[in-house]
């Protein structure tokens, strides 16, 4: 498997950055995990957006799905998607319509968002939308996906991707407060991509994010083989975050940067 970081910002983009988006590729299958604001443009730097097989969404917060809107417009209106020749594009009878694998309730949320300007069915017409349940196991070519609910401010799922036949396993923790069930889900993952949003724990209310140290502790408890921190603002010191996480993890830790490629 090959994982390319397209965007790693928290809910506001880094300068020139993008929110949550990771391109996962394996033996000809391409899947975008999350499609936050800014991600569609970053995807276009690396791949032809009409060739993706699927988009998987961890949860229905704006910074994890908002660029489904420009992506939907592209699939609907791009010259190459039309049935007749337009400019240098020769026309197609089979416009791309990637699968969109999103949490239950996604159709309703997308309709409400794009319905604000009267385009209720934009996303559902552009993609083949399938809502997943916590125990769903969707397959995309040689990749199988599974989900694990994590503590956040809306229903949110960590996402695991497993490749056949070599059995490498990627776990993306999504947005999550400290969670023993995330530790179990990430057990011996080849790579754990884990959020480290906070410089210090939330002072009040429910926990919905982690500090770099907590992210490192999750990696250690899960015995993940590699640990990559993400969802970390460029307004915080990445060297501090890496040191905090590494101290708890007991080994080297990476900080996700746009364009980074991880092989597993
Ligand atoms: Zn969130």
């Amino acid at each position: 498997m090959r994982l390319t970081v397209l965007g790693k910002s928290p809910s506001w983009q880094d300068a020139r950055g993008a929110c949550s988006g990771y391109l996962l590729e394996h033996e000809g299958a391409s899947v975008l995990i999350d499609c936050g604001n800014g991600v569609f443009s970053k995807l276009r730097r690396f791949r032809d957006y009409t060739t993706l097989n699927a988009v998987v969404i961890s949860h229905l917060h704006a910074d994890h799905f908002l660029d489904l809107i420009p992506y939907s417009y592209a699939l609907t209106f791009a010259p190459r998607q039309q049935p007749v020749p337009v400019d240098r594009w020769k026309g197609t009878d089979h416009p791309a319509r990637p699968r969109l694998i999103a949490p239950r309730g996604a159709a309703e949320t997308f309709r409400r968002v794009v319905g604000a300007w009267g385009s209720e069915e934009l996303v559902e017409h552009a993609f083949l939308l399938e809502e997943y349940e916590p125990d769903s196991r969707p397959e995309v070519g040689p990749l199988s996906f599974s989900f694990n609910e994590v503590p956040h401010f809306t229903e949110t799922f960590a996402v695991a991707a497993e490749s056949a036949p070599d059995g490498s396993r990627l776990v993306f923790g999504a947005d999550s407060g400290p969670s023993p069930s995330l530790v179990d889900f990430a057990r011996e993952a080849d790579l754990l991509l884990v959020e480290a949003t906070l410089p210090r724990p939330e002072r009040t209310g429910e926990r919905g994010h982690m500090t770099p140290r907590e992210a490192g502790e999750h990696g250690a408890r899960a015995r993940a083989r590699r640990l990559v921190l993400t969802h970390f603002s460029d307004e915080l010191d990445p060297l501090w975050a890496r040191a905090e996480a590494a101290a708890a993890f007991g080994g080297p830790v990476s900080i996700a940067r746009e364009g980074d490629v991880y092989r597993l």
Side-chain angles (χ1 to χ4, degrees):
M1 287 194 279
R2 178 190 157 99
L3 180 75
T4 306
V5 177
L6 302 179
K8 55 60 106 178
S9 306
S11 50
W12 66 103
Q13 292 105 315
D14 294 347
R16 288 179 290 165
C19 291
S20 188
Y22 309 91
L23 178 64
L24 183 64
E25 296 167 295
H26 183 62
E27 289 178 356
S30 312
V31 178
L32 177 62
I33 301 177
D34 278 351
C35 191
N37 27 322
V39 168
F40 182 64
S41 167
K42 306 297 182 183
L43 172 65
R44 295 192 64 192
R45 272 186 59 197
F46 295 97
R47 292 291 178 271
D48 175 347
Y49 60 86
T50 63
T51 63
L52 258 63
N53 303 102
V55 180
V56 175
I57 301 293
S58 65
H59 67 298
L60 298 170
H61 273 162
D63 54 326
H64 295 256
F65 80 81
L66 215 51
D67 260 22
L68 289 174
I69 296 169
Y71 200 162
S72 295
Y73 279 121
L75 293 170
T76 308
F77 295 118
R80 74 171 96 177
Q81 291 278 85
Q82 306 312 312
V84 293
V86 180
D87 192 22
R88 66 186 185 279
W89 308 96
K90 63 183 184 338
T92 177
D93 292 328
H94 305 287
R97 207 173 167 214
R99 292 165 67 190
L100 173 54
I101 302 168
R104 53 194 174 189
E108 169 61 24
T109 298
F110 299 151
R111 271 184 225 132
R112 260 194 293 152
V113 172
V114 291
W117 57 91
S119 304
E120 279 82 356
E121 293 179 327
L122 171 73
V123 176
E124 285 159 90
H125 280 163
F127 292 91
L128 289 166
L129 176 62
E130 45 192 284
E131 295 189 355
Y132 64 78
E133 297 289 328
D135 60 352
S136 298
R137 298 278 183 276
E139 303 208 342
V140 182
L143 294 168
S144 5
F145 290 86
S146 54
F147 306 99
N148 181 72
E149 194 172 353
V150 289
H152 191 48
F153 307 113
T154 188
E155 190 173 54
T156 299
F157 295 93
V159 178
E162 225 160 313
S163 64
D166 58 346
S168 302
R169 187 156 178 268
L170 163 78
V171 174
F172 167 51
D175 287 4
S176 175
S179 164
S181 98
L182 177 58
V183 170
D184 288 340
F185 188 60
R187 188 78 61 201
E188 292 181 4
D190 294 282
L191 192 152
L192 171 59
L193 179 63
V194 64
E195 73 126 285
T197 311
L198 302 174
R200 67 185 78 80
E202 294 97 337
R203 291 192 177 111
T204 54
E206 71 180 284
R207 298 293 315 274
H209 290 292
M210 283 190 257
T211 65
R213 184 165 286 267
E214 288 168 332
E217 286 164 3
H218 281 63
R221 284 192 209 124
R223 298 169 186 265
R225 297 201 173 86
R226 292 179 80 178
L227 189 68
V228 181
L229 304 187
T230 192
H231 212 260
F232 183 79
S233 172
D234 65 355
E235 293 173 346
L236 296 170
D237 177 0
L239 297 178
W240 168 81
R242 200 169 60 184
E244 283 280 303
F249 183 51
V253 170
S254 307
I255 301 233
R257 289 174 312 180
E258 182 188 320
D260 280 351
V261 175
Y262 294 95
R263 291 174 194 280
L264 63 159

